[in-house]
Amino acid sequence: MKHFLTIKDLPREKIYDLLDRALWIKKQRAKMSILNGCCGVMIFEKPSTRTRISFEIAVKELGGYTLFMTPQDSQLGRGEPIKDTARVISRYAHLMIVRTFGQEKLEELAKYSSVPVVNALSDLYHPCQVMSDLLTIFERTNDFSKLKIAWIGDGNNMAHSWINAAMYLPFELYVSTPKGYEPRKEILDEAILNGAKIKFTYNPIEAAKDADFINTDVWASMGMEDDKENRLKAFLPYQINETLLSYAKKDVKVMHCLPAHRGEEITEDIIESERSIVWDQAENRLHMQKAILEWIFS
Ligand code: CP
Ligand code: NVA
């Protein structure tokens, strides 16, 4: 049985198969039956627009159906242990899609679950989003080997999944964050040890220079809003705006997993410009997640 808690759960040799398959699924938009009659239980401890809707539609278009619950309206919110919840849901459903805070909660669910568990975002990783973003790049370039991709902003869950992805594909990844907001050292070290071409810099211009794709994300992720005032000051030089983009390649594409805070991590004119591919990224959630579910159930 397979879980998808991080990109590292994918076998290395599967990555191009998955990208090709997601592209095929996108082109066909065919109804498939691999989840015929199956139920995916979705447990979301944080809000969501894209992840919830794209997974609900993906499961349905694969022949299954979903049940959505939040901890507040289940016994999880009253302290029922995760390991008990995992075993009970496993007796009813065929899949769990979970958005939560600690990665260790997902790991515990997966340990006690006898059905696959998918990470729909945790504080540490957002693997479904980054797989979809890889598809968004792949459908434009078909080749990662000559690309400079930049991550500019917070060293957060998205940054960590990008760092994981750099172990699998031959692009160069520049990561640039303010001091105090770096990605976790052990995640960076592991990736570099495994051949990822990653350069960390505090200088956003160095990251943006000659980049083919520039990624950013909110400066305060869900659950970190209390630190927002400090973050606004520290992150200002990392805003994706016309000045920063003037250092990148002429045909640079700008990426953001959304939701975006215009005037903070990205300016209105950039997100609305032709350089922005954020709507394709959002669409590709649906197609890539179908490919991931197909891999899990194959
Ligand atoms: N990008 C993303 O995961 O969006 P939601 O929080 O709306 O699901
Ligand atoms: N880093 C953001 C991503 C939102 C999809 C967060 O965790 O809030």
Side-chain angles (χ1 to χ4, degrees), residues 159-172:
H160 291 150
S161 284
W162 267 105
I163 291 167
N164 285 170
M167 286 192 269
Y168 282 70
L169 291 162
F171 55 81
E172 214 180 2

Side-chain angles (χ1 to χ4, degrees), residues 184-208:
R184 293 246 186 120
K185 186 177 178 312
E186 66 277 15
I187 294 177
L188 258 180
D189 288 349
E190 181 194 24
I192 292 168
L193 206 70
N194 282 285
K197 290 191 274 173
I198 301 179
K199 176 111 200 288
F200 180 84
T201 171
Y202 289 115
N203 181 355
I205 294 175
E206 188 187 347

Side-chain angles (χ1 to χ4, degrees), residues 13-24:
E13 67 282 2
K14 270 274 152 213
I15 190 102
Y16 283 107
D17 289 351
L18 219 54
L19 289 166
D20 284 335
R21 187 67 183 160
L23 213 52
W24 183 88

Side-chain angles (χ1 to χ4, degrees), residues 273-292:
S273 74
E274 277 179 6
R275 285 167 288 184
S276 159
I277 54 173
V278 301
W279 316 117
D280 290 344
Q281 289 176 259
E283 176 186 340
N284 284 338
R285 298 293 304 274
L286 175 65
H287 313 303
M288 179 43 87
Q289 285 159 192
K290 282 184 183 170
I292 291 169

Side-chain angles (χ1 to χ4, degrees), residues 132-231:
S132 311
D133 297 348
L134 292 173
L135 174 63
T136 310
I137 295 176
F138 185 65
E139 68 187 352
R140 287 183 159 71
T141 63
N142 212 33
D143 178 13
F144 289 93
S145 66
K146 292 182 190 69
L147 298 180
K148 175 174 174 178
I149 300 176
W151 176 268
I152 299 179
D154 191 15
N156 62 10
N157 44 10
M158 281 292 300
H160 291 150
S161 284
W162 267 105
I163 291 167
N164 285 170
M167 286 192 269
Y168 282 70
L169 291 162
F171 55 81
E172 214 180 2
L173 180 67
Y174 274 65
V175 179
S176 185
T177 76
K179 281 210 169 72
Y181 298 99
E182 301 86 352
R184 293 246 186 120
K185 186 177 178 312
E186 66 277 15
I187 294 177
L188 258 180
D189 288 349
E190 181 194 24
I192 292 168
L193 206 70
N194 282 285
K197 290 191 274 173
I198 301 179
K199 176 111 200 288
F200 180 84
T201 171
Y202 289 115
N203 181 355
I205 294 175
E206 188 187 347
K209 195 167 179 327
D210 297 325
D212 299 282
F213 293 88
I214 296 184
N215 268 282
T216 193
D217 186 10
V218 291
W219 289 340
S221 285
M222 290 179 277
M224 290 165 202
E225 291 85 358
D226 286 353
D227 190 33
K228 188 158 181 187
E229 286 315 305
N230 293 328
R231 285 171 176 261

Side-chain angles (χ1 to χ4, degrees), residues 9-10 38 42 85 126 276:
D9 288 329
L10 291 175
C38 292
M42 304 179 64
T85 307
H126 198 1
S276 159

